[in-house]
Amino acid sequence: MLTSNSLRWLVVVAGAAMLLAVAAACAGETVEVPGETVVVEKEVIKTVEVPGETVVKEVVKEVQVPGETVVVEKVVTETVEVPGETVVVEKEVVKTVEVPGETVTVEVVKEVMVPGETVVVEKEVVKTVEVPGQTVVVEKQVPVEVVKEVVKTVEVPIGYVTDPATGKTWTAPEYGGTLTWAAKVFPPGIDPWFNSGWAQHLIGGVNERLAFANWGLSRDIWRGELYQVVTPEMSRGSLAESWSMPDDTTFVFNIRQGVDWDNKAPVNGREFDANDVEWNYHRFLGLGDFTADGASAGAGGVTQGAKIESVTATDKWTIEIKLAEPQLDVQGKMLNNYLIVLPREVIEEYGDAKDWRNVVGTGPLRMTDFVEGSSATWEKNPTYWGVDEKFGNRLPYIDEYRSLLMPDSSTRLAAMRTAKVDMLSNVGDAYITSIDDVSSLQETNPEMEFWPIYSRPSGTFYFNWSLPVMQDVNVRKALQMAVDRETINLTYNKGLGDPTPYGLVGQFTPDFSWPYEDWPDEVKREYEYHPEEAEALLDAAGYPRGDDGYRFEIKLGHFDRWDETYAELVIGYLDAIGVKGELEVFGAPEIGAHLLADTFEYGLFTSYYGYFGGPGLVGYTFGAVTTLVSGRSANKMNDPRMDALYLAAAETTDIEEFKRIQRQSDELCVREHCGLAKSNVPNHFVNQPWVQGYFGEAGMGWGERMTHLARLWIDSELKAAMGR
């Protein structure tokens, strides 16, 4: 018997392959029939090999009659006892051929029943019945060999469950306990009207969306990765139960019934309905009684670029969204956005939802405390409507949830080692970005679970085209050739990254990007390490070395979400070709101001680069390089060619045309050197072994942060056994 002291996290359920093979053996006998002699041949046609035993499955007899062949069936059922399981072998007769004066029965399929699975043995008998005169010919075709690989169920102790989405074995879900995570940063506010993405770090589990990713879906289909686009096929309803498009300019949400707001003033537990959804859309988009849209309502907010003309609650449970014109991927834009639903009573009474004390939701969590610069606390909502998509249990499992603000990475690692926190992940942007930190933690705490997260390359420097020195493509090209990306990957990244360069869209969605293998050799060379050529380009561009050895000086603006060691390495490479770099690290509050300005002082500026392609993300991809999207741009490219491509992408309703446009934009960024290419290196999420149900998911859809936490549970016995 396993006990807590046996550290149940070491239990591994292994998959095994079972080989099912066809064999044949014959024996003869004679049967007397009035007026004739019949030879009966017995043929064994199926053998199942299971480790430690051989099971003979079924027998068929053929009766030979002059001028015809008649197959006579015989059913054999056996039960084979195997330690820890019972294997029942059956043969089912499924086909009968009627012939005047006789009946011919032919068998087709047999099944092996094993606890937890059904193994179908694929033997097909093909029959041809011809009646020329009174002649019946029955032909039987049996495959020489059928091989089917299955997962063999290994005996699992009572108190464990197998996750249907991942195949992983967990301790059985239990209620209670506390889940604590570290946060690198708290958002500047919690009202999504002002900052839709950031707000979800604090109210993502309190206020819900209309739809999110299907938590019960196989991780081979939906991986739960950072910034993975959730297609309609991967989605399930949340506050909306279902959706449809009756025509190409109308989108309909069918609102879930039986959902109540939390019983807290001023909402006081009233029923949620379609009017709440209409009101939130109106507030964000400046429709109805609202005269101004939200600060984050545009392409990157609640519309994802969809041109919404009106939003109407046609009855208590139906929302009708009218579009200005037919558009591409309407369902993707409606289901993948930042709209989280707030109660109108809070805004009407307080003017906004900035104060955490006024937060009221329909979700699995209730916000109970927030200490600026220190911590945030939530408790379970005992009347939450949702259930676990995998196991059918009422959610949430955990009683209390806590987020501790820890801006310093060494503090976060120490908190993991001492079990002060249970996880570092996408919630609070506290995932590990340093390969050295991952290696160190794996060495000291191998019992923890580590999840490498490959997504769009983060911490990539854009060239700031608003500065005169960066407007020359030869300068950008020179800086590109000055950085040895291969060596950085082998040393700093310990070889874990992919150094293949990429463009605006990246290599994640090849249908939408300009694949590296299609680049001309001369373009590939511009992304290789050639410092001598870089210096020659700078000389030719009119930037010779001065008496101090430097050609010019630039500032590098670095977002503190990512490890700044990489930025320091870049500065070292630039210094070698005579470009002096000065690093300035800044936090989230300063980012918006820089992006909204017409220009800023940083020659290189870190952001995301190499986006996922697709119509649902057109605002994000083009928003990095053109201010036409929402006035924000990471590199101030201001190129009319890119602007024209963005406008064309936003207008087309043909998916193949859209792919062509995005490939063109990708090629343009590659040739013009929009950004300083960086190896795609995995970030890492990590959790303590007693956190159950977690498979490294970043959330439950685009921008979703906290709802998935309600689906995790704590193995209290294991935690106690480990002295925590």
Side-chain angles (χ1 to χ4, degrees):
M1 175 180 291
L2 292 176
T3 67
S4 60
N5 292 326
S6 66
L7 299 185
R8 293 179 296 174
W9 47 268
L10 292 176
V11 175
V12 177
V13 176
M18 182 185 300
L19 180 64
L20 306 180
V22 177
C26 297
E29 57 179 302
T30 301
V31 179
E32 296 295 333
V33 180
E36 58 186 6
T37 301
V38 179
V39 178
V40 180
E41 296 181 349
K42 184 173 68 173
E43 181 184 8
V44 178
I45 64 169
K46 192 71 64 175
T47 301
V48 179
E49 296 183 6
V50 180
E53 74 268 5
T54 298
V55 181
V56 178
K57 297 194 60 180
E58 57 85 22
V59 178
V60 173
K61 295 185 291 181
E62 292 186 354
V63 181
Q64 302 293 327
V65 181
E68 65 188 88
T69 300
V70 180
V71 179
V72 181
E73 59 85 21
K74 178 181 179 184
V75 178
V76 178
T77 301
E78 302 179 42
T79 300
V80 181
E81 298 293 336
V82 183
E85 61 185 25
T86 300
V87 179
V88 179
V89 182
E90 298 183 342
K91 181 180 79 67
E92 181 181 3
V93 177
V94 299
K95 182 72 175 178
T96 300
V97 181
E98 298 291 339
V99 181
E102 58 191 20
T103 299
V104 180
T105 304
V106 186
E107 59 81 25
V108 181
V109 176
K110 297 157 294 300
E111 293 183 346
V112 179
M113 306 300 297
V114 181
E117 62 186 24
T118 299
V119 180
V120 179
V121 181
E122 299 176 346
K123 183 181 80 65
E124 181 181 7
V125 177
V126 179
K127 297 154 293 295
T128 301
V129 179
E130 300 178 0
V131 189
Q134 287 296 315
T135 302
V136 179
V137 179
V138 181
E139 298 179 350
K140 182 172 64 176
Q141 297 178 351
V142 181
V144 175
E145 183 177 20
V146 177
V147 178
K148 184 176 180 67
E149 182 178 344
V150 299
V151 177
K152 183 171 173 59
T153 302
V154 179
E155 184 176 355
V156 177
I158 296 175
Y160 285 75
V161 294
T162 299
D163 186 337
T166 67
K168 186 170 180 177
T169 297
W170 314 104
T171 57
E174 64 176 278
Y175 290 95
T178 299
L179 179 70
T180 305
W181 62 90
K184 183 174 185 177
V185 62
F186 280 158
I190 61 175
D191 187 339
W193 191 87
F194 298 96
N195 43 30
S196 56
W198 278 102
Q200 296 198 47
H201 285 276
L202 292 178
I203 63 171
V206 181
N207 296 91
E208 297 184 280
R209 298 160 56 144
L210 295 174
F212 45 48
N214 185 351
W215 186 253
L217 198 62
S218 168
R219 294 303 180 266
D220 292 334
I221 301 172
W222 171 70
R223 301 177 303 279
E225 294 178 341
L226 276 170
Y227 311 108
Q228 180 185 6
V229 175
V230 180
T231 65
E233 294 76 20
M234 300 176 186
S235 302
R236 68 175 296 268
S238 179
L239 291 178
E241 199 162 32
S242 61
W243 46 86
S244 62
M245 285 196 71
D247 58 63
D248 58 7
T249 59
T250 305
F251 190 88
V252 175
F253 278 116
N254 300 306
I255 301 305
R256 185 179 299 278
Q257 300 183 36
V259 175
D260 294 331
W261 291 98
D262 195 12
N263 190 16
K264 176 181 176 182
V267 191
N268 300 320
R270 71 165 175 83
E271 187 178 42
F272 163 82
D273 61 33
N275 295 300
D276 291 303
V277 180
E278 178 193 86
W279 183 90
N280 274 269
Y281 263 112
H282 285 188
R283 181 180 184 236
F284 270 99
L285 302 180
L287 300 174
D289 296 333
F290 294 90
T291 58
D293 60 355
S296 56
V302 303
T303 66
Q304 291 292 324
K307 298 173 183 177
I308 295 177
E309 193 171 72
S310 66
V311 180
T312 306
T314 58
D315 59 42
K316 193 174 182 180
W317 307 113
T318 309
I319 284 290
E320 182 182 83
I321 299 175
K322 284 290 187 180
L323 305 174
E325 58 192 27
Q327 295 168 47
L328 188 66
D329 190 36
V330 173
Q331 289 199 51
K333 293 171 182 176
M334 293 296 101
L335 301 178
N336 281 284
N337 58 52
Y338 283 131
L339 180 74
I340 49 179
V341 182
L342 306 177
R344 61 183 180 272
E345 291 93 333
V346 169
I347 310 302
E348 290 169 352
E349 182 160 336
Y350 302 106
D352 55 48
K354 291 181 178 180
D355 191 333
W356 70 268
R357 297 172 185 83
N358 301 328
V359 171
V360 183
T362 58
L365 278 59
R366 292 170 167 170
M367 196 167 190
T368 58
D369 191 32
F370 181 73
V371 180
E372 187 71 42
S374 178
S375 65
T377 307
W378 302 260
E379 66 180 9
K380 71 184 296 180
N381 177 0
T383 62
Y384 179 55
W385 59 270
V387 297
D388 189 332
E389 296 86 344
K390 298 176 182 178
F391 305 111
N393 301 316
R394 180 67 63 179
L395 296 174
Y397 290 111
I398 295 171
D399 288 342
E400 183 181 63
Y401 301 80
R402 299 191 68 217
S403 178
L404 304 179
L405 184 62
M406 299 178 179
D408 181 66
S409 61
S410 61
T411 303
R412 296 193 296 273
L413 293 179
M416 282 296 297
R417 289 190 173 98
T418 59
K420 186 176 182 180
V421 298
D422 298 306
M423 62 193 308
L424 302 175
S425 72
N426 190 43
V427 184
D429 281 342
Y431 46 83
I432 305 176
T433 62
S434 166
I435 299 298
D436 286 340
D437 286 349
V438 172
S439 299
S440 173
L441 196 58
Q442 286 176 326
E443 183 176 347
T444 59
N445 296 83
E447 77 282 1
M448 294 180 183
E449 292 191 286
F450 295 82
W451 307 97
I453 308 299
Y454 287 89
S455 65
R456 54 186 182 176
S458 55
T460 302
F461 281 106
Y462 282 89
F463 296 113
N464 176 12
W465 288 26
S466 69
L467 298 183
V469 67
M470 291 300 173
Q471 292 171 3
D472 188 334
V473 66
N474 286 319
V475 172
R476 300 193 299 271
K477 191 184 303 183
L479 300 188
Q480 192 83 258
M481 301 174 80
V483 178
D484 189 350
R485 193 172 55 258
E486 298 273 358
T487 297
I488 291 176
N489 185 55
L490 291 173
T491 55
Y492 172 62
N493 298 330
K494 301 185 185 302
L496 296 179
D498 179 2
T500 305
Y502 44 84
L504 175 64
V505 178
Q507 306 292 327
F508 305 103
T509 43
D511 288 348
F512 298 88
S513 64
W514 190 36
Y516 176 74
E517 55 267 24
D518 292 345
W519 295 10
D521 289 341
E522 64 270 18
V523 175
K524 290 180 179 179
R525 185 173 182 81
E526 293 171 4
Y527 283 81
E528 296 171 356
Y529 179 54
H530 298 292
E532 297 84 1
E533 292 182 36
E535 295 220 46
L537 284 170
L538 292 176
D539 287 339
Y543 297 101
R545 288 181 182 263
D547 294 339
D548 61 356
Y550 288 108
R551 305 171 185 275
F552 55 84
E553 180 177 349
I554 58 172
K555 285 188 175 182
L556 287 77
H558 183 72
F559 186 13
D560 68 359
R561 177 183 293 187
W562 303 299
D563 183 19
E564 63 188 72
T565 305
Y566 170 74
E568 294 168 347
L569 292 173
V570 169
I571 287 177
Y573 279 108
L574 298 184
D575 190 89
I577 63 167
V579 176
K580 186 175 183 179
E582 177 186 349
L583 180 64
E584 182 175 340
V585 180
F586 49 82
E590 295 88 6
I591 294 175
H594 289 307
L595 296 180
L596 287 172
D598 292 333
T599 184
F600 49 76
E601 59 184 333
Y602 303 100
L604 294 172
F605 186 83
T606 56
S607 185
Y608 291 108
Y609 190 63
Y611 284 79
F612 291 92
L617 294 181
V618 61
Y620 278 89
T621 51
F622 286 98
V625 293
T626 173
T627 59
L628 293 181
V629 179
S630 59
R632 295 168 178 255
S633 172
N635 76 338
K636 311 299 180 186
M637 187 174 182
N638 195 24
D639 188 307
R641 295 171 297 173
M642 188 63 73
D643 293 347
L645 288 169
Y646 164 66
L647 293 174
E651 293 293 330
T652 185
T653 58
D654 180 82
I655 186 62
E656 294 305 319
E657 173 70 6
F658 183 88
K659 290 177 181 179
R660 184 187 65 80
I661 293 169
Q662 279 218 320
R663 283 193 291 267
Q664 284 184 305
S665 70
D666 196 43
E667 180 177 353
L668 180 58
C669 256
V670 169
R671 291 185 180 276
E672 293 294 335
H673 296 269
C674 286
L676 185 67
K678 177 187 178 185
S679 294
N680 187 12
V681 184
N683 296 310
H684 282 78
F685 298 170
V686 60
N687 64 272
Q688 303 287 1
W690 51 78
V691 176
Q692 300 288 287
Y694 186 60
F695 204 68
E697 296 89 354
M700 291 180 66
W702 181 257
E704 200 285 321
R705 300 283 182 170
M706 294 178 62
T707 305
H708 67 296
L709 301 180
R711 289 154 171 80
L712 312 183
W713 63 94
I714 302 296
D715 182 346
S716 58
E717 188 177 354
L718 175 59
K719 186 175 181 180
M722 297 183 71
R724 301 301 187 182

